[in-house]
Amino acid sequence: MKKLLLTSCALLFSGVALANSCPTEMKAIDAKLATKPALAAADQEKVMTLRADGERLHKAGDHDASMKALAQAKKILGL
């Protein structure tokens, strides 16, 4: 019973932690974009699309997909 309770708590807290990471990742992307990095136009558009998708998915509660989109944007930006 203790094991089940501990596992449930761990899953709950990991979900909360992941949900709180999305805004932090979006802020990091925004900060990098504010420095006007030298990106090809296609890469710039891709980053902006991924950033918007990340925010939309975060607001919809799909934090796993949000983090994946934001991670792709960060990779393009070299973060």
Side-chain angles (χ1 to χ4, degrees):
M1 186 66 165
K2 277 186 181 181
K3 195 173 195 177
L4 178 63
L5 181 62
L6 289 173
T7 302
S8 298
C9 287
L11 290 173
L12 174 68
F13 289 122
S14 67
V16 170
L18 186 59
N20 290 333
S21 297
C22 299
T24 302
E25 299 297 313
M26 288 185 273
K27 286 179 186 176
I29 292 166
D30 293 343
K32 183 67 173 185
L33 289 173
T35 67
K36 301 190 190 265
L39 293 174
D43 286 340
Q44 177 81 15
E45 185 176 327
K46 183 73 171 172
V47 167
M48 297 299 289
T49 299
L50 289 166
R51 165 51 176 91
D53 289 346
E55 184 171 2
R56 179 183 50 77
L57 291 163
H58 169 73
K59 288 181 179 178
D62 191 351
H63 302 290
D64 288 333
S66 173
M67 290 298 289
K68 286 179 185 174
L70 296 171
Q72 287 178 326
K74 287 178 69 175
K75 183 177 180 181
I76 295 168
L77 290 170
L79 293 174

